[in-house]
Amino acid sequence: MGKPPGPPTATHCPYCSLQCGVSMRVAPPRAPLIEPTDFPTNRGGLCAKGWSAPELLDHPDRLTTPLVRTEQGDRSSPFRAATWEEALGLIVDAIRRSLREHGPPGVGCFGGGGLTNEKAYQFGKFARVALGTPHIDYNGRFCMSSAATAANRAFGIDRGLPFPLADVADARAVLLVGSNPADTMPPAMQYFDAGRAVGAAHIVVDPRRSATARGSTLHLQPTPGTDLALANGLLHIAIRAGNLDEAYVADRTTGFDAVRAGVAAWWPDRVERLTGVSTADLRRTVELLATAPSAMILTARGAEQHANGTDTAQAYINLALALGLPGRPYSGYGTITGQGNGQGGREHGQKADQLPGYRRIDDPAARAHVARVWGIDPDELPGPGVSAMELLNRIGTDGGVHVLLVLASNIVVSAPDRNRVRDRLAALDFLAVSDIFLSETAALADVVLPTAQWAEEEGTMTNLEGRVIRRRQVLPPPAGVLDDLTVLALLADRLGRGRYFSADPRTVFEELRRASAGGIADYAGISYERIDAEDGVFWPCPAPDHPGTPRLFAERFATADGRARFIRVDHRDPAEQPDAEYPYVLTTGRIMQQYQSGNQTRRARSLKLSADDPRVELHPDLARRLGIGAADLVELRTRRGTAVFRADLTDGIRPDTVFAPFHWGGAASANALTDPTLDPHSRMPAFKVCAVAVRRVGDAADQPAARPPAPSPTLRSRKDD
């Protein structure tokens, strides 16, 4: 018999940006027991992913020792177990060799939106102080960058939701663009449900009739890649119908005249022809938003992961400003963050152009402030680097990265145009990856470092509302496993810069507070004790006696003159249009049972029972034309590659569109197909639309050729060497 469960520890789910509150008890020899708590974001709710999370803590695939290649420099040779001394020594030797041969830009760092604030902060500091490299970016560039860029341009600040999530329940109209929270963050739906229960009107914009769309008042089903035209058309109608909040526009904004002129050409018939959304539905949408006493416009990846994603988010901000929504009670514009720490991960130095506190790295005052906190000369700080895809594309070139350190990111599955990404990683002189399992990316590395999981570490996260919360340790990591803060401190010490780094999360957070002080994302007044006492603290919070800022923009925007900026934006077609060879449109996204690259959720035993066979959604009319039956094997082919899925026939998707989840690697890798064209402002890839060919390659009884959950370590013991 096992021991009775120990006392509960309050912490948070490791997955999406809700960061649901949970209580955990250690119950050897079983995995810890988990229960949802009455935390403000989830109020006792928890999705299947959250319930399954403890299964991974003692999973047999867990990495518990460093791995190195049996033949150094030959990544086709098997891994063998190594000591930390050997593994760290190999990494430091590779870094030093690259610094000699290529200078600091020859070493790069690639982070993740699941890292705690402390780890994201320390990784950014490690790149600049220990390595001196400008080359650091993270997978949040694939998630939030377009909305963040648009919000900064319009409001002077980027916080996913500028109000608590619970405010959604009091909005009498909600326009939800490119988001499916019923599947991707189910506990959030209680606030949408509460609003609808008292008569709120919800309009969902999605080319699929998703679980969220099925419960909406109105579902707009545009052609993928036309969301910007749709937004401009809605603003055109609002102006023509007299729904413009003229006093708000005059008192609180600038730049409206240029936007008015820009949307003048987007008359309803033109928008209908381009988007496929009827003029009646366009007019009804504007009526619902304009007549409601409180209204919100919320965008997410469906609208933003395009080559014009920044401008698309900007168009919906323009609509919100014209209706006078931002800053009003239970109203405004927001974007729904995806990754667990997608918000905090981009605030404190993981992005190529930023220093802690959301400071610009090319701002002399920002450089001076952060250098003073770090105890270095501002001239030691490198300048801005390049975005995630640009960093990967330049691997092995002059001025590009030759040695890459990856924390908490499975680039091979999550980046677009997978085959090119694999080629670029192969061009590295040296690749080191820190992860909890041997991901598809780790399987390509020279050295793999095992790291602590969410329930085995301390730190803070920042959820979709800008609420800074505590991640508490429930149990220690397995013997022989070090957390990333410790690893970064050890590497810095070996590089002669150890005095600048700590392995203690509280010490790192206290430094983060000082480094962020006075910045846009000001955490100076946030302490572990306040977080514990207040169920989290909303930034900006510049002083210990400041209450935090649950709601932004009530009095002014974070611009120099306090006014929001209208910015004219115009529709442009996606980089790829359907043609005779690739006649359909592919769009990608998430499903309920999986998360991000699937490196964790594809291993969860309970989730595999319900979602272990990736499926592509096709309209029955399209399937009939192509001779495809339910559950047949279907090959998708684009200009970059192929992938095989099982057919899921549904009339909830447009007949010209197919939908594939991106959680799998191998033969079912959706990102072997996707378009790497970048948004010119945010450098976001165009995940959400590309041209695709579809054909049947097997029937329902056939098994896919290669569908492992993820590669397992290939090891040789030392005695075999």
Side-chain angles (χ1 to χ4, degrees):
M1 291 182 61
K3 298 178 182 178
T9 299
T11 188
H12 294 269
C13 173
Y15 291 119
C16 81
S17 62
L18 282 184
Q19 286 297 287
C20 293
V22 297
S23 176
M24 296 186 68
R25 293 173 182 262
V26 178
R30 296 173 296 169
L33 306 174
I34 190 169
E35 293 284 345
T37 62
D38 190 31
F39 193 73
T41 51
N42 60 306
R43 293 297 182 199
L46 196 63
C47 77
K49 295 187 290 291
W51 282 109
S52 72
E55 297 175 18
L56 303 179
L57 294 169
D58 62 351
H59 195 282
D61 285 353
R62 183 76 188 273
L63 296 175
T64 57
T65 185
L67 304 177
V68 302
R69 296 292 178 179
T70 53
E71 302 293 334
Q72 291 181 27
D74 179 4
R75 291 185 206 138
S76 66
S77 67
F79 284 117
R80 62 169 174 82
T83 65
W84 279 97
E85 183 75 15
E86 180 184 12
L88 295 178
L90 289 172
I91 295 172
V92 170
D93 287 346
I95 290 172
R96 285 179 171 152
R97 188 163 53 247
S98 186
L99 291 174
R100 286 195 304 269
E101 296 175 1
H102 306 289
V107 184
C109 298
F110 201 103
L115 294 175
T116 62
N117 288 318
E118 290 81 356
K119 291 191 290 187
Y121 169 84
Q122 183 125 304
F123 201 28
K125 181 182 177 183
F126 178 83
R128 277 99 185 199
V129 175
L131 302 176
T133 182
H135 286 148
I136 178 169
D137 214 73
Y138 82 128
N139 62 19
R141 185 73 69 171
F142 304 153
C143 180
M144 290 298 302
S145 56
S146 289
T149 304
N152 278 321
R153 294 198 307 188
F155 306 133
I157 193 170
D158 156 40
R159 202 179 83 186
L161 293 184
F163 40 72
L165 178 65
D167 281 8
V168 170
D170 292 299
R172 289 296 157 262
V174 178
L175 177 62
L176 188 62
V177 188
S179 180
N180 181 20
D183 279 349
T184 59
M185 46 179 63
M189 287 305 295
Q190 62 187 292
Y191 301 109
F192 291 89
D193 294 341
R196 286 199 301 268
V198 294
H202 291 176
I203 309 106
V204 173
V205 180
D206 198 318
R208 305 164 61 219
R209 189 168 67 244
S210 65
T212 305
R214 288 195 293 271
S216 64
T217 307
L218 186 62
H219 176 206
L220 311 184
Q221 206 164 4
T223 301
T226 63
D227 296 291
L228 196 162
L230 179 66
N232 277 349
L234 294 174
L235 181 51
H236 174 105
I237 292 170
I239 294 170
R240 292 288 296 271
N243 299 130
L244 178 67
D245 189 331
E246 295 184 3
Y248 180 98
V249 170
D251 294 343
R252 302 206 61 192
T253 74
T254 63
F256 178 67
D257 288 345
V259 170
R260 185 202 294 267
V263 301
W266 289 100
W267 54 90
D269 289 346
R270 181 188 180 195
V271 175
E272 179 179 12
R273 286 195 301 272
L274 182 64
T275 67
V277 177
S278 71
T279 58
D281 284 349
L282 294 170
R283 296 183 192 281
R284 177 64 173 152
T285 298
V286 173
E287 178 187 11
L288 291 171
L289 289 173
T291 59
S294 55
M296 292 178 179
I297 298 175
L298 306 175
T299 66
R301 306 303 82 71
E304 299 158 10
Q305 286 180 323
H306 297 271
N308 64 349
T310 299
D311 287 351
T312 299
Q314 209 81 57
Y316 285 98
I317 291 174
N318 287 342
L319 178 61
L321 289 172
L323 297 175
L325 303 181
R328 278 173 43 193
Y330 310 116
S331 299
Y333 166 84
T335 185
I336 299 176
T337 307
Q339 295 189 78
N341 202 29
Q343 183 70 56
R346 66 183 183 272
E347 293 169 359
H348 299 301
Q350 258 192 127
K351 285 181 72 176
D353 57 351
Q354 288 179 192
L355 289 171
Y358 226 127
R359 288 180 161 91
R360 290 182 58 91
I361 199 168
D362 58 2
D363 175 3
R367 293 169 64 86
H369 170 84
V370 173
R372 186 163 53 250
V373 173
W374 288 351
I376 63 174
D377 189 291
D379 290 340
E380 294 181 56
L381 291 172
V386 296
S387 72
M389 280 307 296
E390 292 168 307
L391 186 156
L392 296 173
N393 284 335
R394 298 180 189 181
I395 283 174
T397 64
D398 289 344
V401 167
H402 297 264
V403 170
L404 184 65
L405 281 65
V406 178
L407 300 190
S409 189
N410 189 6
I411 306 167
V412 171
V413 176
S414 63
D417 196 2
R418 178 202 64 181
N419 294 333
R420 174 168 172 75
V421 169
R422 288 177 62 95
D423 287 345
R424 299 325 306 149
L425 293 178
L428 285 165
D429 294 338
F430 191 90
L431 173 63
V433 176
S434 169
D435 215 323
I436 55 179
F437 299 115
L438 196 75
S439 69
E440 286 85 351
T441 304
L444 304 178
D446 294 274
V447 172
V448 181
L449 304 178
T451 191
Q453 286 200 56
W454 58 287
E456 301 162 352
E457 64 182 8
E458 293 280 338
T460 61
M461 307 281 279
T462 305
N463 76 353
L464 79 170
E465 315 160 295
R467 186 194 303 261
V468 185
I469 60 174
R470 279 283 305 281
R471 174 177 280 186
R472 299 176 182 85
Q473 187 181 61
V474 179
L475 72 171
V481 172
L482 302 180
D483 64 84
D484 290 324
L485 281 183
T486 299
V487 169
L488 290 172
L490 289 171
L491 288 172
D493 189 55
R494 287 169 174 259
L495 291 166
R497 307 290 274 179
R499 64 189 181 279
Y500 298 107
F501 294 88
S502 171
D504 175 60
R506 185 183 288 264
T507 300
V508 175
F509 187 76
E510 290 301 307
E511 183 180 289
L512 181 159
R513 292 173 63 189
R514 298 193 301 275
S516 73
I520 293 172
D522 192 334
Y523 283 31
I526 304 176
S527 65
Y528 279 18
E529 290 72 24
R530 279 196 67 180
I531 295 171
D532 292 347
E534 301 174 27
D535 273 344
V537 181
F538 291 86
W539 71 263
C541 183
D545 59 353
H546 189 280
T549 315
R551 296 174 180 85
L552 300 172
F553 313 143
E555 297 178 359
R556 59 177 283 122
F557 295 95
T559 55
D561 60 6
R563 291 171 174 261
R565 308 284 191 253
F566 279 97
I567 297 174
R568 176 173 173 167
V569 290
D570 294 305
H571 169 79
R572 61 182 185 275
D573 290 333
E576 285 193 359
Q577 295 290 302
D579 57 20
E581 187 175 1
Y582 302 98
Y584 310 109
V585 177
L586 169 68
T587 190
T588 64
R590 291 190 282 163
I591 62 173
M592 179 184 289
Q593 298 90 342
Q594 299 292 341
Y595 181 72
Q596 302 301 86
S597 76
N599 189 39
Q600 298 171 80
T601 50
R602 281 185 276 135
R603 289 180 165 84
R605 294 177 288 273
S606 57
L607 297 178
K608 288 176 68 173
L609 294 174
S610 58
D612 197 30
D613 200 6
R615 293 173 176 264
V616 58
E617 292 185 7
L618 304 95
H619 193 280
D621 291 347
L622 174 59
R624 210 164 20 247
R625 288 201 306 273
L626 300 177
I628 296 170
D632 282 354
L633 292 180
V634 174
E635 180 192 79
L636 305 183
R637 178 172 56 89
T638 71
R639 291 176 175 86
R640 289 155 295 280
T642 62
V644 177
F645 298 85
R646 206 168 288 284
D648 183 8
L649 308 188
T650 170
D651 62 3
I653 193 165
R654 294 174 54 96
D656 58 0
T657 301
V658 297
F659 168 84
F662 60 74
H663 310 293
W664 279 267
S669 173
N671 279 325
L673 311 171
T674 46
D675 183 359
T677 300
L678 301 181
D679 180 296
H681 307 291
S682 67
R683 317 312 287 168
M684 164 80 83
F687 289 102
K688 285 296 188 256
V689 58
C690 66
V692 66
V694 182
R695 72 182 180 101
R696 179 181 180 275
V697 293
D699 62 30
D702 290 339
Q703 294 300 310
R707 197 61 54 75
S712 294
T714 302
L715 296 174
R716 284 177 55 189
S717 68
R718 293 175 174 231
K719 65 184 180 183
D720 294 329
D721 290 345

